Amino acid sequence: MSFRVVGLPSSLFRPLYGLSEEELAVRGVEVTVADSSPGYPCRVSLRDAPVGARMLLLNFEHQPADTPYRSRHAIFVQDGAEEWVPGVDEVPEVLARRTLSVRAFDAGGQMLDGVVVSGREAGPVFERLLAVPRAAYLQVHNAGRGCYAARVERAA
């Protein structure tokens, strides 16, 4: 079962790009500067931000389905980030270097299964969970802090 890792669309965050810290604070967004790398994973570019990058820290609803699994959590987005689409069956380094919680969901947003895995071993887990007959998509979270990291879908 081939897969593709998908980041968040930049269009969701473009209205925040370049705003002052005061303008962002009114919207509940904090600004921080990446002071180490890795350490600030951007959910749009699917890359760890370089040292010195301006990062937006905000709460994001990554699981909007009206089920008990509805969820939101803090994420980082690099100011000005654009999407990068990894290749089919490619686990981006931003995921590969972390311990991940991978969760399979059906089309209605009900969780079917979940696995904690080293990012270096995530590819076969993605394939196995997407092979579950009712699985519509996977969500990947950083296991340590629980932050949403990316979505995984079947590759066309």
Side-chain angles (χ1 to χ4, degrees):
M1 180 68 60
S2 290
F3 64 87
R4 183 176 304 277
V5 177
V6 180
L8 296 173
S10 61
S11 59
L12 296 176
F13 308 100
R14 220 173 262 127
L16 303 174
Y17 292 170
L19 294 180
S20 70
E21 287 190 40
E22 295 76 21
E23 291 169 312
L24 289 166
V26 169
R27 294 164 174 83
V29 179
E30 295 180 13
V31 176
T32 189
V33 175
D35 58 8
S36 65
S37 188
Y40 294 83
C42 177
R43 290 359 186 259
V44 171
S45 69
L46 296 177
R47 293 188 169 103
D48 279 298
V51 172
R54 183 176 191 244
M55 303 300 295
L56 309 178
L57 177 61
L58 62 137
N59 191 271
F60 181 78
E61 186 173 37
H62 58 273
Q63 182 63 16
D66 191 17
T67 71
Y69 297 104
R70 184 178 196 152
S71 188
R72 53 187 314 125
H73 203 288
I75 62 167
F76 283 114
V77 173
Q78 186 173 341
D79 196 358
E82 294 297 329
E83 296 96 351
W84 170 67
V85 180
V88 172
D89 296 334
E90 180 180 354
V91 178
E93 187 63 23
V94 72
L95 299 180
R97 67 174 46 152
R98 291 174 168 83
T99 301
L100 306 173
S101 172
V102 183
R103 303 161 189 177
F105 291 88
D106 68 13
Q110 293 290 344
M111 190 183 302
L112 303 173
D113 200 356
V115 177
V116 175
V117 64
S118 162
R120 298 271 178 230
E121 300 166 4
V125 171
F126 294 166
E127 293 168 354
R128 180 175 61 79
L129 290 175
L130 285 172
V132 172
R134 290 180 35 226
Y137 59 94
L138 310 178
Q139 286 194 346
V140 181
H141 296 253
N142 294 323
R145 294 193 180 215
C147 303
Y148 172 83
R151 180 180 171 111
V152 180
E153 301 172 346
R154 288 180 185 87

